[in-house]
Amino acid sequence: MSVTVKIPTQLRETVGGAAQVQAEGATVGEALESVFAAHGELRGRLIEDGELRRFVNVYLSGEDIRFLDGLQTAVPAGGTLTILPAVAGG
Amino acid sequence: MAAKQLRCRECATEYPLEARYVCSRCFGPLEVKYDHADITDVGEARRRIQSGPQNMWRYHDFLPLEGARPSAHTGLPAGNTPLIRADRLAERLGLREVWVKNDAANPTHSFKDRVVSVAATRARELGFDTLACASTGNLANSVAAHGAALGMDSYVLIPADLEEQKQLATAIYGTNLVKVRGNYDDVNRLCTELSGDRENWAFVNINMRPYYAEGSKTVAFEIAEQLGWEMPDRCVVPIASGSLFTKIAKGFDEFCEVGLLDGGAPIMNGAQALGCSPVAAAFEQGKDVCRPVKPNTIAKSLAIGNPADGPYALDLARATGGSIDSVTDDEIRAGIRLLAETTGIFTETAGGVTTAVLAKLAARGDIGPDERVALIITGEGLKTLDAVRDSFHAYEVDPNIESFEAAFAGQGAGV
């Protein structure tokens, strides 16, 4: 299933400058793996010990996947994943 | 300037002092690093601060600004807020010594003026012409006001359901007020995405964040100076993102490093509302990361469900022997009232959270008999009037003595 993955400015150099890339997979984890297969450098930036790094947020249609099933969250065909750094607010 | 570089708190990668807020290797947050090797004479350093203006720019040497110290007569100078010895509050709680740092006494009535002053000044140094922010309200007021004072355009994004007082006290400054249909974390996500596309906008709490956060250190600097160059034994501080909490400790640490103060950081107690308590929950569970929550509390200025500085707040509370506690909405209302009745200071819901946590720590016996405690009050009660509406009784009388006396009959308050 095809999924759109939006890449933040800070990581676009790892995917040849693209603002978004297409991925394949039934879960968030599978979709990200399919992106890593083409852009290996991205993996280390996002993943540590098999989990998302603690300052990396991934959203499925605007919802933080930590509220869903994390990397196991099912992704509908045509869904959009957005990767963003965690930022403090106020 | 004493600021030398930005350094990643996670992997220590260093970057120049530019508009960058996240490590491109690991996404960790960046923090300003200083070199104060030129401070060799503590007496001289003290005199230099004391001869500065009566606002936070007296600590310019400890802030990440390149230019000369900003004039005391331009912009919207923040800081120099009162530190009040609150003996009646201490007595009520069975404590020896409590000091209230009243940061509602800032230009837009919250501590956010400190962080925005630094972020806006640095933004101008870096060539930005527009300020922006994601806000739970107090930051919105401050960014809009600083934009007006400095002649910069501003865009302020808030959750659409924010208290009316905070919306009015933002829009009046002529900003572009954007009400986002979502909670603060949705607003923050939108702004993080926008900041990648709006390269000439300085989002004070996103791409200016390393500079912005440094402004909070001035709370610690002022407390120390107001106590006669001494530290409190304990600080009780509200936690939303965790930035203020960690930067107050950093402020004390920096003054210790250069010899302006002796000792280590005070015991640090964080305060959260139960309806949005991801950091307090992680503290209680012994975890070192926070699980995000969907906020549901009257303390909207603390309603950040995914607090980015949470891990550092947890480390700090544990390292100093403190804690992070949460209180219910009813305890928050009682906290607002307790502070008002014993000090004459009317604080917003966040201050109710902080005061209620102080009461909780006192009741639990966590505070030693000889401790000097600083309670950090971050905002103004007039901004959250709904929290106290219908919580008291007023007498209504006809304009004559008989009616007045009848109203107080039996209470011994007759004229």
Side-chain angles (χ1 to χ4, degrees):
Chain A
M1 285 188 286
S2 184
V3 179
T4 300
V5 181
K6 293 171 79 173
I7 309 292
T9 327
Q10 299 86 353
L11 295 179
R12 287 180 190 165
E13 57 171 322
T14 66
V15 294
Q20 59 183 51
V21 296
Q22 291 302 305
E24 294 291 328
T27 66
V28 174
E30 288 174 18
L32 291 178
E33 280 300 328
S34 80
V35 180
F36 300 153
H39 309 284
E41 197 190 334
L42 191 59
R43 181 196 303 273
R45 305 281 189 100
L46 300 183
I47 306 285
E48 188 176 47
D49 302 329
E51 295 290 332
L52 282 182
R53 286 180 177 275
R54 64 182 183 171
F55 289 98
V56 174
N57 289 346
V58 176
Y59 301 87
L60 172 61
S61 304
E63 182 75 312
D64 189 329
I65 64 163
R66 291 188 177 95
F67 283 118
L68 306 169
D69 295 322
L71 293 173
Q72 281 73 53
T73 303
V75 185
T80 299
L81 293 174
T82 305
I83 301 169
L84 287 173
V87 182
Chain B
M1 66 176 160
K4 294 301 172 201
Q5 66 265 321
L6 298 176
R7 185 182 299 162
C8 175
R9 289 197 66 164
E10 294 288 293
C11 73
T13 302
E14 293 187 351
Y15 300 91
L17 291 162
E18 56 194 23
R20 176 191 286 270
Y21 64 101
V22 63
C23 177
S24 52
R25 283 173 114 182
C26 73
F27 267 20
L30 304 181
E31 189 166 65
V32 179
K33 288 293 164 191
Y34 298 82
D35 179 356
H36 288 300
D38 58 330
I39 298 181
T40 50
D41 180 341
V42 172
E44 170 58 25
R46 241 173 233 179
R47 282 191 293 277
R48 193 172 150 77
I49 291 170
Q50 287 166 332
S51 67
Q54 295 293 322
N55 59 49
M56 59 182 267
W57 298 131
R58 67 204 274 111
Y59 309 110
H60 179 257
D61 292 345
F62 296 85
L63 295 172
L65 301 175
E66 245 166 328
R69 186 161 68 194
S71 161
H73 306 293
T74 59
L76 206 57
N80 193 31
T81 60
L83 182 73
I84 304 294
R85 182 162 169 150
D87 285 342
R88 297 191 61 239
L89 175 61
E91 187 183 351
R92 187 84 78 90
L93 298 176
L95 301 174
R96 191 186 71 126
E97 194 177 334
V98 175
W99 294 80
V100 175
K101 182 63 171 166
N102 183 13
D103 247 21
N106 270 305
T108 70
H109 317 287
S110 86
F111 88 100
K112 290 294 184 185
D113 290 322
R114 298 177 184 274
V115 286
V116 175
S117 288
V118 177
T121 306
R122 184 63 184 151
R124 282 186 126 187
E125 288 183 349
L126 291 169
F128 290 94
D129 58 11
T130 302
L131 296 177
C133 70
S135 176
T136 57
N138 283 322
L139 183 59
N141 296 172
S142 187
V143 166
H146 276 81
L150 299 173
M152 300 173 80
D153 281 342
S154 63
Y155 289 80
V156 168
L157 287 83
I158 56 170
D161 72 345
L162 198 64
E163 294 100 337
E164 187 187 21
Q165 292 93 343
K166 285 182 179 163
Q167 296 190 31
L168 297 176
T170 300
I172 191 64
Y173 298 113
T175 186
N176 297 288
L177 180 63
V178 183
K179 296 164 68 169
V180 178
R181 291 185 288 270
N183 63 24
Y184 174 78
D185 295 295
D186 295 320
V187 179
N188 201 30
R189 176 179 53 76
L190 174 60
C191 285
T192 308
E193 281 195 77
L194 273 175
S195 73
D197 296 332
R198 298 288 192 281
E199 289 183 353
N200 61 333
W201 287 16
F203 280 84
V204 298
N205 53 343
I206 300 178
N207 55 355
M208 287 294 115
R209 180 168 169 257
Y211 310 103
Y212 162 97
E214 290 293 290
S216 290
K217 294 186 311 190
T218 60
V219 175
F221 296 160
E222 280 179 21
I223 291 172
E225 194 183 348
Q226 287 167 319
L227 288 174
W229 302 100
E230 288 185 9
M231 274 186 286
D233 299 308
R234 179 187 297 270
C235 291
V236 187
V237 184
I239 291 183
S241 69
S243 178
L244 173 67
F245 184 70
T246 54
K247 291 294 179 175
I248 285 177
K250 188 181 183 215
F252 287 124
D253 283 346
E254 286 184 4
F255 267 18
C256 288
E257 279 164 26
V258 300
L260 284 165
L261 292 172
D262 294 322
I267 298 167
M268 296 295 293
N269 286 105
Q272 292 211 292
L274 183 61
C276 182
S277 52
V279 194
F283 183 86
E284 190 179 355
Q285 292 157 9
K287 295 189 174 146
D288 59 4
V289 291
C290 302
R291 185 177 168 80
V293 301
K294 302 276 188 192
N296 179 19
T297 169
I298 60 169
K300 291 182 183 172
S301 58
L302 302 182
I304 295 180
N306 191 0
D309 282 335
Y312 303 125
L314 290 163
D315 290 347
L316 177 64
R318 289 178 180 133
T320 60
S323 66
I324 298 169
D325 286 271
S326 62
V327 287
T328 66
D329 283 358
D330 282 345
E331 288 173 309
I332 295 167
R333 292 188 190 93
I336 293 172
R337 189 153 187 161
L338 174 64
L339 188 72
E341 289 178 352
T342 57
T343 67
I345 295 168
F346 179 26
T347 184
E348 65 151 294
T349 45
V353 170
T354 316
T355 308
V357 164
L358 173 67
K360 191 170 187 172
L361 296 170
R364 204 161 67 199
D366 283 11
I367 301 176
D370 297 327
E371 281 190 33
R372 171 191 274 175
V373 183
L375 179 69
I376 314 301
I377 295 302
T378 46
E380 165 66 52
L382 293 174
K383 293 192 193 186
T384 59
L385 289 171
D386 287 342
V388 297
R389 201 180 300 285
D390 301 327
S391 67
F392 52 85
H393 173 72
Y395 301 92
E396 187 165 332
V397 302
D398 293 323
N400 59 60
I401 300 288
E402 294 75 18
S403 178
F404 179 85
E405 291 199 336
F408 287 92
Q411 292 188 29
V415 186

